[in-house]
Amino acid sequence: MNRLVVVSNRVAPVRRGGTGAEGGLAVAMQGAMKDRGGVWFGWSGNTVAHDSSQAKVIETGRISYATLDLTQRDYNEYYTGFANSVLWPLFHYRLDLTDFSRRDMAGYHRVNAMFASRLLPLLKDGDVIWVHDYHFIPLGAYLRQAGSRQKLGFFLHIPWPPMELLATLPNHEALVRDLCTYDLIGFQTRTDLHAFEAYIREEAGGEVLSGGRIKAFGRSTLAKAFPISIDTEEVAKLARRAEHSPQSRRLRESLSDRQLITGVDRLDYTKGLTERLEAYQHLLAGYPAYRGQVTLLQIAPPSRGDLSDYQQMRQQVEAIAGHINGRFAEFDWSPVRYLNRGFKRQTLMGFLRLSDVGLVTPLRDGMNLVAKEFVAAQPPEDPGVLVLSRFAGAARELDGALIVNPYDIEGVGDTLARALSMALPERRERWEAMFERLSRHDLAAWRNAFMTNLDAAPCAAAAA
Ligand code: GDG
């Protein structure tokens, strides 16, 4: 089988044998590379004074980990600039938060070109290259320009925006043209795929043919939806194992029989944290019987803290969490436990298992793995209820959840009351359908579907 070369902004830390601390995606990618041999290529996470002239390579077994450092300028323009202050907000429908400059866009292209040139010497004929996410949309085009003839696949982890939003991006056409260099383009959901197809037809004057075939910019490619998932069995196992851990015991004891609502999100404006807290406030205000009887545990590890939009949002979240506690707390009860830090994966899965309600209310999310993890972590005999935003990609699959509109604060508050009072038979019925689906559509199934399609896709460079 051909080697797999994975490219992503961050490369999973090299751990011989694995410690179980890695995220699911890292394990899935490593699994595929272990079978076929491979290279994982990306940014080291370090900023340095000068560009790396070549990648630093560490070999373990059949996998090589190859990383590059970035200069501070590259980091500012490519990473915090174009990727996270233009593409991230725009692709999450937050046009109001985009901060476009030609300088940052040039930096984004410069880093993509640099990554392509440093990757090229590591490639072998017949390698299959799988590029991840919005940081690297033009990478494939730069690889082709530099003479790479390998098969190229791309998966977008975040939503694809509607045409009219994308059209606000100066040079949007060049970005989509570059994307069409890949032999396979994967999106999270059919909504994203359809938005992409609409752009191809209406803005690029291209054609959408049967079987996901796209003709545009004088090229042919394939575009399909591959909803990402979790390692369902692993999450269920971690959660079971964590059930009697000291942390789970402490959490259980501290609740003293109160019901627990849990949210777990990177501190990001796409996750709808302020709206969520307001909805919880509505629950406490509108349903006084829940006062003193329920706790909201919001875990929110900091993210992209050097961007002002993130700093502002953090202040808002802290203000409203403080306000709710000030308004409703008793001397022996705080309604909100807001934790601005991360936890070990197993601890987290243990907390999800203890929760009566999983509250996942992003304003827009490519998929949202926490929603799936919540389902996988539940005890089958007494599962909790998932309250899920219709704007998370996961809502298309998890139809046993109580689906909410996160902008409808009162509606989410009312749904919380319904979730907290749902009887066991309904909870089980809803959970079983979702768990069964996640058992079939797990992370390995996602990876294999993408790889099978990529292996079978015609390679434009080979045909040329
Ligand atoms: C992007 C897209 C898409 C969270 N806190 C801790 C922790 N986590 C883990 C969760 C989950 C992961 O991080 C977050 O994944 P999400 O899918 O929820 O969200 P993004 O980070 O925005 O991911 C998203 C995803 O890519 C995959 O394609 O679903 O739509 O935005 O696994 O459990 N893990 C640990 N400690 C924490 O405190 N260990």
Side-chain angles (χ1 to χ4, degrees):
M1 223 189 306
N2 300 333
R3 280 198 326 172
L4 172 62
V5 177
V6 174
V7 183
S8 60
N9 179 56
R10 292 301 303 274
V11 171
V14 183
R15 286 199 184 88
R16 277 163 236 271
T19 60
E22 302 92 340
L25 184 63
V27 176
M29 290 299 117
Q30 283 159 340
M33 289 188 281
K34 230 178 257 166
D35 293 344
R36 344 173 23 138
V39 180
W40 194 333
F41 182 77
W43 176 39
S44 63
N46 301 324
T47 49
V48 291
H50 302 286
D51 267 354
S52 337
S53 56
Q54 57 183 43
K56 184 174 157 220
V57 182
I58 298 175
E59 316 237 351
T60 70
R62 304 190 65 194
I63 308 177
S64 306
Y65 294 85
T67 53
L68 288 175
D69 300 329
L70 290 179
T71 63
Q72 191 60 43
R73 177 173 164 228
D74 287 343
Y75 175 80
N76 293 344
E77 296 176 5
Y78 147 81
Y79 183 74
T80 52
F82 196 72
N84 284 321
S85 301
V86 178
L87 295 181
W88 177 271
L90 180 63
F91 280 39
H92 287 90
Y93 301 39
R94 292 300 302 269
L95 185 53
D96 56 318
L97 298 182
T98 57
D99 184 13
F100 176 84
S101 74
R102 287 186 179 176
R103 187 202 58 191
D104 288 352
M105 191 172 68
Y108 177 76
H109 279 274
R110 186 178 64 245
V111 169
N112 270 268
M114 194 260 287
F115 270 66
S117 71
R118 306 289 191 270
L119 175 58
L120 206 65
L122 305 178
L123 297 177
K124 294 186 181 164
D125 287 349
D127 280 352
V128 174
I129 303 173
W130 184 353
V131 177
H132 289 261
D133 232 357
Y134 60 102
H135 313 89
F136 288 130
I137 294 174
L139 187 85
Y142 284 114
L143 280 170
R144 284 279 181 263
Q145 265 173 37
S148 151
R149 300 176 72 83
Q150 286 83 358
K151 186 86 65 84
L152 290 172
F154 179 87
F155 183 76
L156 185 68
H157 288 258
I158 64 176
W160 183 266
M163 193 175 70
E164 286 297 297
L165 278 181
L166 186 56
T168 64
L169 178 70
N171 243 355
H172 54 90
E173 195 179 293
L175 192 78
V176 183
R177 188 189 303 123
D178 284 348
L179 181 61
C180 289
T181 307
Y182 292 94
D183 300 305
L184 174 65
I185 307 164
F187 296 98
Q188 293 276 24
T189 64
R190 300 199 67 76
T191 309
D192 305 313
L193 177 64
H194 291 157
F196 173 74
E197 290 173 346
Y199 183 101
I200 291 295
R201 269 194 305 260
E202 289 165 45
E203 188 74 33
E207 284 177 274
V208 178
L209 306 168
S210 61
R213 282 180 311 134
I214 301 285
K215 279 196 167 169
F217 308 106
R219 305 180 179 134
S220 301
T221 180
L222 276 175
K224 292 187 178 183
F226 299 94
I228 198 169
S229 196
I230 55 165
D231 185 341
T232 312
E233 208 181 298
E234 179 248 8
V235 171
K237 200 162 75 190
L238 278 180
R240 266 197 311 272
R241 216 186 280 155
E243 194 168 349
H244 303 292
S245 70
Q247 291 89 343
S248 288
R249 200 173 327 123
R250 269 176 61 196
L251 175 58
R252 205 181 296 115
E253 282 167 11
S254 73
L255 291 171
S256 10
D257 288 331
R258 293 187 182 102
Q259 286 187 287
L260 177 64
I261 303 173
T262 300
V264 179
D265 311 77
R266 275 185 312 99
L267 198 49
D268 193 295
Y269 50 76
T270 61
K271 303 293 181 183
L273 290 170
T274 49
E275 291 80 358
R276 182 182 309 174
L277 285 163
E278 280 168 13
Y280 181 60
Q281 176 164 245
H282 174 77
L283 171 81
L284 297 176
Y287 300 82
Y290 282 113
R291 294 183 203 164
Q293 301 304 317
V294 62
T295 296
L296 171 64
L297 176 67
Q298 178 61 55
I299 294 172
S303 177
R304 302 174 199 163
D306 40 3
L307 289 174
S308 62
D309 290 327
Y310 286 75
Q311 292 159 10
Q312 257 176 37
M313 194 241 350
R314 179 172 174 170
Q315 280 170 11
Q316 281 169 4
V317 171
E318 282 168 6
I320 177 159
H323 174 76
I324 295 172
N325 279 340
R327 180 171 167 197
F328 293 104
E330 290 292 340
F331 60 86
D332 57 353
W333 169 66
S334 312
V336 182
R337 298 183 190 178
Y338 169 67
L339 296 147
N340 200 210
R341 67 184 172 95
F343 285 84
K344 283 196 177 139
R345 190 162 166 75
Q346 178 162 323
T347 307
L348 207 56
M349 298 307 134
F351 290 172
L352 291 179
R353 189 177 183 86
L354 283 181
S355 308
D356 299 281
V357 176
L359 189 51
V360 184
T361 53
L363 304 177
R364 190 65 57 180
D365 217 330
M367 180 53 60
N368 196 297
L369 296 181
V370 174
K372 294 188 170 182
E373 288 163 350
F374 175 80
V375 172
Q378 292 312 296
E381 63 291 350
D382 187 15
V385 180
L386 177 63
V387 175
L388 177 60
S389 161
R390 57 171 293 167
F391 301 121
R396 288 190 154 252
E397 294 167 82
L398 301 180
D399 52 6
L402 296 180
I403 302 291
V404 293
N405 171 359
Y407 295 94
D408 176 10
I409 308 285
E410 292 166 356
V412 176
D414 294 344
T415 306
L416 275 174
R418 183 175 163 211
L420 288 164
S421 61
M422 191 182 285
L424 182 60
E426 183 178 351
R427 280 190 278 129
R428 281 175 75 157
E429 194 183 320
R430 287 173 173 274
W431 175 81
E432 274 161 17
M434 293 193 286
F435 187 76
E436 199 269 324
R437 188 181 169 93
L438 289 181
S439 302
R440 277 184 290 122
H441 292 276
D442 67 359
L443 187 60
W446 168 79
R447 178 195 69 197
N448 296 342
F450 188 90
M451 288 305 302
T452 307
N453 274 272
L454 185 55
D455 285 330
C459 177

